[in-house]
Amino acid sequence: MSEPPRPCPALIEGVNAARAEAGLPPLAPHPALTAAALAHAADLLSNGAFDHAGSDGSLPLERVLRQGLSPRLAAENIAMGQPDAPAAVAAWQGSDGHRANNLSPETTLIGTAAARYPRRGLVSDDQRLWIAVFAAEF
């Protein structure tokens, strides 16, 4: 059953819990990053894709810039198949590159999205999608 993209506060809570355990300050939710995460989720769903690159070739920083925010840097974590947000954060914490995004001392902002792929005969069928977009303020 398909679910449209929606913000996912539970991802923010999980990432911020991991940051607290590492002695780092929490990330603040930002509407432009949430909009970038939601737009990328919608693009991935509509194309049955799972990639950091959008269908137009865009990368996370480009998608954040489109939302009117000009950060020093942007990063993105995506996950597919985990049953809930805590499991997605745990998967990210178990991957060096994703963990580095979660625990970057440079980032201060976060936006998230969660969705479920529709059934289309693709590898992504009926899987949950999780996205976190991170940025460092100007």
Side-chain angles (χ1 to χ4, degrees):
M1 172 189 221
S2 177
E3 293 174 14
R6 67 191 188 290
C8 187
L11 283 176
I12 298 171
E13 291 169 16
V15 168
N16 280 336
R19 291 177 66 84
E21 288 177 23
L24 294 166
L27 300 175
H30 194 284
L33 297 182
T34 299
L38 291 169
H40 189 49
D43 181 41
L44 293 176
L45 289 178
S46 69
N47 291 291
F50 181 72
D51 199 322
H52 290 289
S55 62
D56 62 356
S58 64
L59 295 175
L61 180 58
E62 294 169 82
R63 294 189 294 270
V64 171
L65 291 169
R66 286 180 192 160
Q67 300 302 323
L69 186 66
S70 299
R72 282 188 297 113
L73 65 90
E76 176 182 80
N77 284 350
I78 61 175
M80 179 175 61
Q82 294 77 12
D84 55 30
V89 173
W92 290 336
Q93 285 296 99
S95 160
D96 290 342
H98 295 100
R99 181 179 171 86
N101 286 343
N102 287 347
L103 303 181
S104 172
E106 292 186 64
T107 56
T108 56
L109 305 171
I110 188 171
T112 61
R116 183 184 293 268
Y117 286 94
R119 293 184 182 269
R120 291 190 179 173
L122 302 169
V123 71
S124 57
D125 276 359
D126 203 31
Q127 296 289 318
R128 290 193 177 277
L129 170 67
W130 309 96
I131 299 178
V133 178
F134 306 88
E137 293 184 86
F138 336 94

